Amino acid sequence: MVNLALAIKLPYIGTCNNPVDMSTINDGNVNFTISEEGIAIISFYHPAQNSLPSQLLKTLADAIYSCGANPEVRVIILQSGGDRTFCAGASFDELLAIKDEQTGAAFFSGFANVINACRKCGKIIIARVQGKAVGGGVGLAAAADYCLATENASVKLSELAIGIGPFVISPAVMRKIGLPAFSQLTIRATDFQSAHWAYEKGLFNEVYDDIPALNEAVLTLSRKLAAYHPSALVNLKQILWEGTGDWDSLLTERAAISGKLVLSEFTQQALQQFLNK
């Protein structure tokens, strides 16, 4: 079991005593704590560059819903473990194991469920992006209400290169950066775009030189937000997500598209080649 230390440390009430706390899945885990100031820190970790298998995605969505429903929580920080990759997207090992459309749709619905959890959670979510974000990792950054990153947090949507597309995360990403930037990020599937590119396009709200500066900025912002009127924050959250009421069905439909494409010979060979590198 990996012992994940929180990157940002606060005086806290304790870990939340429910089934989503400290879940260990395939050597990965989700952990969350609530500070005395009402700041929930949700951390996820997986040794394969923080890639996310389906069960870990479910646990992450449950953690977001749980913190969102907790009256003690004023604001949520979403972060990953380690000091390198924020999230490498989907678990390639699990993608290769998919043998039917139903299983494929269910897997890609994992990212849909996390995005919808962020959308429907009644609390403002701050994403702390300390390193590279690929595929679904870009979707997680986009699903946050405010995103702070380091200069090392380059982004890439590599899905076309392996025979699928960023269909599930596209509504969240396009909502932040618009169609032209999304097209560039998608079509340039093998190229990383810099953190400053992501800042200029609106995916990142602030970019810092290093992780200590990032941690200080995230902590300062979260404490300010936690001191604001809770009802004002709830109403702001609703305004920020206006026009997304159809995403439950939309993202499910997009997951089915990806679930079908992942079965193709092209995609299976591309995934195998990637794993053999």
Side-chain angles (χ1 to χ4, degrees), residues 53-132:
S54 57
Q55 189 56 47
L56 202 60
L57 285 166
K58 180 182 184 304
T59 309
L60 182 58
D62 288 346
I64 294 168
Y65 278 122
S66 180
C67 289
N70 191 325
E72 295 177 345
V73 174
R74 298 290 189 89
V75 63
I76 296 170
I77 297 171
L78 178 63
Q79 65 179 25
S80 64
D83 58 4
R84 299 186 65 182
T85 305
F86 170 67
C87 177
S91 166
F92 274 27
D93 287 334
E94 192 164 348
L95 283 174
L96 272 172
I98 294 172
K99 301 303 179 185
D100 60 81
E101 291 185 22
Q102 183 177 2
T103 303
F107 173 78
F108 287 102
S109 290
F111 277 102
N113 292 337
V114 172
I115 291 171
N116 277 323
C118 292
R119 174 177 67 89
K120 293 188 284 187
C121 165
K123 310 298 166 61
I124 297 294
I125 298 175
I126 301 169
R128 171 192 172 274
V129 182
Q130 82 281 13
K132 291 180 178 179

Side-chain angles (χ1 to χ4, degrees), residues 49-51 85-90 92 111 129 131-140 154-159 169 189 192 274:
Q49 301 182 73
N50 288 324
S51 60
T85 305
F86 170 67
C87 177
F92 274 27
F111 277 102
V129 182
K132 291 180 178 179
V134 180
V138 178
L140 293 185
S154 54
V155 298
K156 180 171 70 172
L157 293 181
S158 57
E159 285 87 345
I169 65 170
F192 275 102
F274 180 87

Side-chain angles (χ1 to χ4, degrees), residues 98-101 258-265 267-268:
I98 294 172
K99 301 303 179 185
D100 60 81
E101 291 185 22
S258 296
K260 183 175 182 179
L261 285 172
V262 77
L263 298 174
S264 70
E265 183 179 354
T267 300
Q268 291 294 305

Side-chain angles (χ1 to χ4, degrees), residues 17-240:
N17 295 318
N18 58 57
V20 302
D21 176 52
M22 286 301 293
S23 297
T24 300
I25 301 136
N26 298 331
D27 295 324
N29 58 58
V30 170
N31 171 288
F32 68 88
T33 61
I34 301 173
S35 79
E36 296 170 351
E37 300 162 283
I39 301 169
I41 303 177
I42 301 176
S43 300
F44 63 90
Y45 171 80
H46 194 278
Q49 301 182 73
N50 288 324
S51 60
L52 293 169
S54 57
Q55 189 56 47
L56 202 60
L57 285 166
K58 180 182 184 304
T59 309
L60 182 58
D62 288 346
I64 294 168
Y65 278 122
S66 180
C67 289
N70 191 325
E72 295 177 345
V73 174
R74 298 290 189 89
V75 63
I76 296 170
I77 297 171
L78 178 63
Q79 65 179 25
S80 64
D83 58 4
R84 299 186 65 182
T85 305
F86 170 67
C87 177
S91 166
F92 274 27
D93 287 334
E94 192 164 348
L95 283 174
L96 272 172
I98 294 172
K99 301 303 179 185
D100 60 81
E101 291 185 22
Q102 183 177 2
T103 303
F107 173 78
F108 287 102
S109 290
F111 277 102
N113 292 337
V114 172
I115 291 171
N116 277 323
C118 292
R119 174 177 67 89
K120 293 188 284 187
C121 165
K123 310 298 166 61
I124 297 294
I125 298 175
I126 301 169
R128 171 192 172 274
V129 182
Q130 82 281 13
K132 291 180 178 179
V134 180
V138 178
L140 293 185
D145 300 299
Y146 202 83
C147 191
L148 291 79
T150 69
E151 290 188 341
N152 293 322
S154 54
V155 298
K156 180 171 70 172
L157 293 181
S158 57
E159 285 87 345
L160 279 181
I162 58 171
I164 54 178
F167 305 121
V168 171
I169 65 170
S170 62
V173 178
M174 287 177 63
R175 169 179 166 269
K176 283 290 182 73
I177 69 176
L179 180 58
F182 173 77
S183 298
Q184 179 182 351
L185 198 57
T186 303
I187 291 171
R188 290 283 189 176
T190 60
D191 300 334
F192 275 102
Q193 304 299 326
S194 71
H196 288 284
W197 181 94
Y199 169 76
E200 291 171 358
K201 303 305 181 184
L203 178 64
F204 297 157
N205 299 102
E206 302 174 23
V207 176
Y208 292 88
D209 292 340
D210 52 33
I211 290 176
L214 173 66
N215 289 346
E216 181 178 355
V218 171
L219 185 54
T220 298
L221 177 60
S222 62
R223 282 175 164 159
K224 285 182 178 179
L225 288 174
Y228 294 160
H229 193 308
S231 295
L233 293 174
V234 169
N235 283 284
L236 174 61
K237 177 82 177 194
Q238 293 172 349
I239 291 171
L240 292 176

